[in-house]
Amino acid sequence: MTKKKLLLVNGPNLRLLGRREPEIYGRTTLAEIETACRELAEDLGFELECFQSDSEGALISRIGEAPLQGICGIVINPAGYTHTSVALHDALLAAALPAVEVHLSNIFTREEFRHTSITGSACIGVVAGFGKESYILALRALAARLS
Ligand code: DQA
């Protein structure tokens, strides 16, 4: 039987994880996070595709393609676009797939401009503040919703 497909989307600057402000974002690389998420998805009976881009347009296009490619749910860290992107919010709504927003840091204890998530209201839930564990929790929550 073919497994249901999930999509992990990471936004701008997250390819620098491990080197980028490690006191905030930790020392785990994006490749390590993707591997851990792929393994967990397998254990939960799903297949996981991973996508990272610094470009808002590329993120929007990937999300737009997702339903056509049989993706049934999305975990997304929109990074800086969380706080700015109506277009990414609209892309998530247009895809009409359950999505969970994830942040490594607790955006609510940081600068005020990070306290608002534009994209979060297009998601079924938001996990923030647990470092790489945020991704694991988000993936588990999405899988539970879909099972
Ligand atoms: C982030 C939080 C955002 O405010 C920031 O712009 C990021 C990373 C996080 O995972 O904690 O790039 O999404």
Side-chain angles (χ1 to χ4, degrees), residues 8-12 14 17 20 24-25 33 75-84 88 92 100-110 113-121 123 125-138:
L8 173 62
V9 178
N10 278 287
L14 293 172
L17 283 179
R20 175 193 179 200
I24 297 175
Y25 298 117
I33 288 172
V75 172
I76 180 166
N77 185 345
Y81 293 136
T82 304
H83 319 294
T84 63
L88 201 49
L92 287 164
V100 179
E101 179 168 306
V102 44
H103 300 285
L104 293 142
S105 63
N106 182 350
I107 54 175
F108 303 104
T109 59
R110 299 184 61 196
F113 64 83
R114 295 185 206 275
H115 295 183
T116 302
S117 169
I118 291 178
T119 43
S121 65
C123 296
V126 179
V127 181
F130 299 99
K132 62 183 176 187
E133 202 61 28
S134 289
Y135 284 86
I136 300 297
L137 294 167

Side-chain angles (χ1 to χ4, degrees), residues 29-100:
T29 64
L30 183 59
E32 288 166 343
I33 288 172
E34 288 178 344
T35 299
C37 287
R38 262 202 205 95
E39 286 172 4
L40 175 62
E42 284 279 322
D43 289 350
L44 297 172
F46 294 86
E47 186 185 322
L48 184 72
E49 287 184 18
C50 299
F51 180 75
Q52 189 278 330
S53 179
D54 292 337
S55 149
E56 189 176 14
L59 295 165
I60 289 165
S61 298
R62 186 68 192 86
I63 290 166
E65 287 158 10
L68 310 172
Q69 296 171 340
I71 301 282
C72 58
I74 297 174
V75 172
I76 180 166
N77 185 345
Y81 293 136
T82 304
H83 319 294
T84 63
S85 182
V86 172
L88 201 49
H89 164 278
D90 290 351
L92 287 164
L93 284 188
L97 297 172
V100 179

